[in-house]
Amino acid sequence: MEEQGNYGANLLDLEEFDEEALKKESDEILEMRFLNGENAKFARTPGGFVSLETRDKTYDRVGVYLTFPLTNPEEYISIREADEKAKEIGIIEKLSQLAEDQQEMLREQIKLRYFMPVITKVLDVKDEYGHAYWNVVTTFGVCRFTTQMSGDAVIHLSDSKLLVTDIDGNRYEISDFYQLSVMERKKLDLFI
């Protein structure tokens, strides 16, 4: 019986410790930190990554994430730690608030993370067994990929702009559906 009493007391101490740690972590998460040219300096690492130096801390490597990747890629850019937790360090309100060389560095990182070829020509789309097999020409050359027939494989971003996501999560853009030929648009009738 005595052992259970000590176990209960230890559990209570553990809960109090965890509660304090949780409160501290919550406060850090809720604190919005804006990064700009005055309080942050980005630099290229020898391995081609990006590091960050703030007034408080230096990060050997950071991740660059877009908050609004499709609608506003130049604003509200999240800078995160490069580990598996990807804890947010701060937000860049506008990319233009940084020096030109730092803007270009971050744009390079964004292009790598959000690689999205533009489909310029639809050669063929075949529907078989619940999948669509695409054969297209993109801004990076000829490409073949597969999408699910059900679900959100093709999303309308506007009246003419489409986002196509394949079964591996790769994204492709059709900038203007109406710029495609009549035959190409007919091949896409199943998705529109």
Side-chain angles (χ1 to χ4, degrees), residues 63-115:
V64 182
Y65 296 83
L66 296 177
T67 307
F68 304 104
L70 300 174
T71 57
N72 207 350
E74 293 280 317
E75 295 182 8
Y76 299 103
I77 298 164
S78 176
I79 304 300
R80 301 180 191 173
E81 292 181 5
D83 61 11
E84 64 277 350
K85 292 181 184 176
K87 181 180 170 190
E88 187 169 78
I89 299 165
I91 298 272
I92 298 170
E93 193 172 5
K94 293 183 179 185
L95 200 54
S96 61
Q97 293 174 333
L98 300 174
E100 192 66 39
D101 63 326
Q102 293 184 39
Q103 290 179 41
E104 287 308 311
M105 218 182 310
L106 295 181
R107 282 189 187 106
E108 286 174 16
Q109 294 297 309
I110 290 167
K111 282 180 185 174
L112 288 172
R113 181 171 305 281
Y114 297 94
F115 178 71

Side-chain angles (χ1 to χ4, degrees), residues 14-80:
L14 184 61
E15 286 176 10
E16 287 176 20
F17 176 77
D18 286 346
E19 186 177 334
E20 279 300 312
L22 183 61
K23 183 180 181 330
K24 183 180 177 191
E25 188 175 336
S26 295
D27 289 344
E28 287 176 4
I29 290 171
L30 293 174
E31 180 187 345
M32 177 87 61
R33 288 181 221 110
F34 286 102
L35 303 172
N36 55 45
E38 295 176 15
N39 65 7
K41 181 173 174 154
F42 295 91
R44 193 177 312 276
T45 68
F49 298 109
V50 172
S51 65
L52 169 64
E53 183 180 333
T54 66
R55 292 179 182 148
D56 305 327
K57 191 173 178 182
T58 298
Y59 300 88
D60 294 331
R61 182 176 170 199
V62 294
V64 182
Y65 296 83
L66 296 177
T67 307
F68 304 104
L70 300 174
T71 57
N72 207 350
E74 293 280 317
E75 295 182 8
Y76 299 103
I77 298 164
S78 176
I79 304 300
R80 301 180 191 173

Side-chain angles (χ1 to χ4, degrees), residues 164-182:
V164 181
T165 307
D166 72 13
I167 59 174
D168 294 321
N170 299 311
R171 296 175 301 252
Y172 304 86
E173 178 185 318
I174 297 176
S175 299
D176 189 347
F177 175 75
Y178 300 106
Q179 291 296 318
L180 298 174
S181 72
V182 173

